[in-house]
Amino acid sequence: MAYTTSDYFPFLVRQFHHETGWNECNSYATFCRASKAILDFSIPYGLSVSTGRRVGSNLSSQLVFSMIPSSASSIGYLAASRPLFSIMPAQTVASSDEQNLGSNGARAASFPSLAVPTQSDILSNPKADARDGKLSRQQQIQDELDSQDLLQNIRAGVWRCNWRTPDYLNRADYAGEYLAVAQLYPSLATITGSYVERRSATSELTISGVSVAGAQPDLQFIVQHAVDRRRWSSEGVFGTNGRLLGLRGLYNFGDSAEEKTVGEGAGRGRISAGGEVYFGAQEASGGMSVGMRYRDGQPLLSELTCVLNPIMGHVSLALTRELRSRMCAAARYDFNAFSLSSELAVGVEWQLDQNSIVKARWSDSQGLRCLVDTRLNNMVFSMGLDLHSDMAKTPAATGIKRFVRSFGLQFQWFL
């Protein structure tokens, strides 16, 4: 069943990685993250309302009330070893806005506006502040920026990999930091959860699971252990569903990865190569894929990826290009050598202003998909539309159903 999910918890997980110096983009699991953010975005289904708020210094809650379908309603909690995002009062955000306005009253063109705190803003022992439950000056600055650019942080710019590891972070100080999240779906008698822990300066452990009660109870887990050495990264995966075992790896060529964040090159691009292998013991089946990527982040992002799955005979070519500071486009061509089938997809993301974002994607097999996001104070309103690619394939449908595959509205409040 397709249903709408809230952006609040995923945003907190990304912020946790950012504040503990973990680079989400330096992994084969996110190898095609830029193009997928433009071409594979999700839209709301039905009608849903959600709220997200920090109820304690290290505890946040999320409530999703779905009217259509009603079974998608849920309640969840997220606990972390350090304080995460808290929406700032309107007057605080307004003061930040004034500081970012130029002499002519226009906002600076930088995007996204995530500033790096100065040395005086960084406390000498952030772990002690997290244990004591105190909100440091660094956290206040980050909350002001995240509140000011709330819509951009949760929706736009994922293709930019803007959650980069700041140079001032000493990753060794964040070993032992953790995050735990659980979500309950009462109508489905289902609980989902994840636990993330920084095992060391260069490794992270993630355990995710789902538990289903009822006539056919089920319990499944996925364990992932990732190592990030900046120049290279690796990841081991084990899943109880099918007794799956997998390995992923990524290597970055070019300048030393200790001197710059992956994909944020100063003056020239960078080539990365990676691959994965996996084996399902229950079905005695396996698979693999290999990929090459070229990324140039100066002055505007340009990325080209090629992923090959030799067992399935599938090859995917994707190009992502930042047309200007607030607009990015992507195109992808998929081809299968065994069936001789192919698919072309093109998409664009455009930030119209500080509080409005439009996404559109078209493919010859899935049709047209559109998403409009608008921010009103602490609320984010989203409207999504999915249109059929070929009405001739839906002769049984009548009226608007011949054109529209799905339509949804979502209201999110960040308190």
Side-chain angles (χ1 to χ4, degrees), residues 338-376:
F338 298 152
S339 64
L340 300 182
S341 61
S342 62
E343 180 183 23
L344 175 65
V346 294
V348 63
E349 176 183 290
W350 184 16
Q351 182 184 348
L352 301 178
D353 53 41
Q354 193 72 7
N355 296 313
S356 299
I357 299 173
V358 175
K359 289 185 178 183
R361 189 252 11 230
W362 176 89
S363 70
D364 51 11
S365 65
Q366 301 182 20
L368 179 65
R369 171 172 291 184
C370 301
L371 177 66
V372 178
D373 295 305
T374 300
R375 177 186 177 182
L376 300 173

Side-chain angles (χ1 to χ4, degrees), residues 38-117:
I38 306 295
L39 301 175
D40 298 330
F41 62 88
S42 60
I43 64 172
Y45 291 92
L47 177 61
S48 67
V49 177
S50 66
T51 62
R53 62 175 301 178
R54 191 169 73 178
V55 296
S57 60
N58 298 63
L59 182 66
S60 300
S61 66
Q62 172 180 282
L63 174 64
V64 179
F65 178 64
S66 179
M67 287 161 271
I68 306 174
S70 59
S71 59
S73 298
S74 64
I75 182 173
Y77 285 91
L78 182 147
S81 57
R82 56 187 298 107
L84 296 177
F85 170 72
S86 176
I87 194 76
M88 300 299 289
Q91 59 269 23
T92 305
V93 178
S95 64
S96 300
D97 288 341
E98 294 174 358
Q99 295 176 0
N100 287 324
L101 293 178
S103 58
N104 59 352
R107 181 174 300 278
S110 60
F111 173 79
S113 54
L114 288 176
V116 176

Side-chain angles (χ1 to χ4, degrees), residues 2 31 40 43 61 99 101 109 126 136 139 143 163 202 225 255 271 292 324-325 327-328 349 380 396 404:
F31 195 72
D40 298 330
I43 64 172
S61 66
Q99 295 176 0
L101 293 178
S136 66
Q139 182 66 38
D143 284 349
W163 294 95
T202 59
H225 185 267
D255 296 339
I271 297 177
M292 293 286 292
R324 55 186 185 183
S325 61
M327 178 181 290
C328 187
E349 176 183 290
V380 174
V404 180

Side-chain angles (χ1 to χ4, degrees), residues 77-361:
Y77 285 91
L78 182 147
S81 57
R82 56 187 298 107
L84 296 177
F85 170 72
S86 176
I87 194 76
M88 300 299 289
Q91 59 269 23
T92 305
V93 178
S95 64
S96 300
D97 288 341
E98 294 174 358
Q99 295 176 0
N100 287 324
L101 293 178
S103 58
N104 59 352
R107 181 174 300 278
S110 60
F111 173 79
S113 54
L114 288 176
V116 176
T118 62
Q119 187 67 30
S120 61
D121 294 324
I122 302 171
L123 300 184
S124 59
N125 193 350
K127 291 185 69 176
D129 280 342
R131 289 192 298 266
D132 295 339
K134 298 179 180 179
L135 190 62
S136 66
R137 177 56 181 159
Q138 175 189 352
Q139 182 66 38
Q140 293 176 354
I141 292 176
Q142 190 65 54
D143 284 349
E144 289 180 4
L145 294 171
D146 291 341
S147 299
Q148 173 186 333
D149 297 321
L150 177 63
L151 181 60
Q152 290 79 4
N153 288 326
I154 68 172
R155 287 294 195 186
V158 177
W159 41 266
R160 187 190 288 268
C161 289
N162 54 343
W163 294 95
R164 57 188 181 274
T165 303
D167 295 335
Y168 65 81
L169 285 179
N170 183 359
R171 299 199 299 177
D173 292 341
Y174 296 91
E177 298 280 4
Y178 67 87
L179 178 147
V181 57
Q183 195 86 8
L184 169 65
Y185 298 84
S187 300
L188 301 177
T190 300
I191 297 178
T192 62
S194 296
Y195 176 79
V196 182
E197 181 180 346
R198 289 297 301 275
R199 301 294 296 171
S200 67
T202 59
S203 65
E204 182 179 84
L205 175 67
T206 303
I207 303 176
S208 302
V210 56
S211 176
V212 180
Q216 297 180 336
D218 191 17
L219 179 63
Q220 298 178 8
F221 283 97
I222 297 179
V223 181
Q224 300 171 295
H225 185 267
V227 176
D228 180 6
R229 297 283 185 176
R230 298 201 177 188
R231 167 72 73 174
W232 60 268
S233 68
S234 63
E235 185 176 1
V237 182
F238 169 75
T240 58
N241 186 16
R243 297 197 293 274
L244 179 69
L245 292 172
L247 291 174
R248 300 190 186 107
L250 178 71
Y251 187 85
N252 301 298
F253 299 91
D255 296 339
S256 173
E258 297 295 332
E259 299 176 359
K260 65 181 181 180
T261 303
V262 177
E264 300 293 335
R268 63 171 177 161
R270 167 168 246 182
I271 297 177
S272 302
E276 67 176 352
V277 294
Y278 52 90
F279 176 77
Q282 183 171 327
E283 301 292 337
S285 62
M288 65 172 296
S289 70
V290 293
M292 293 286 292
R293 179 180 66 195
Y294 173 80
R295 176 185 291 168
D296 189 356
Q298 299 292 333
L300 297 176
L301 172 70
S302 179
E303 179 179 291
L304 177 65
T305 60
C306 177
V307 178
L308 174 65
N309 188 325
I311 296 179
M312 302 299 295
H314 180 263
V315 60
S316 178
L317 295 171
L319 173 64
T320 306
R321 177 70 179 179
E322 188 178 2
L323 305 180
R324 55 186 185 183
S325 61
R326 296 174 182 266
M327 178 181 290
C328 187
R332 182 177 62 207
Y333 179 74
D334 293 283
F335 177 76
N336 190 283
F338 298 152
S339 64
L340 300 182
S341 61
S342 62
E343 180 183 23
L344 175 65
V346 294
V348 63
E349 176 183 290
W350 184 16
Q351 182 184 348
L352 301 178
D353 53 41
Q354 193 72 7
N355 296 313
S356 299
I357 299 173
V358 175
K359 289 185 178 183
R361 189 252 11 230

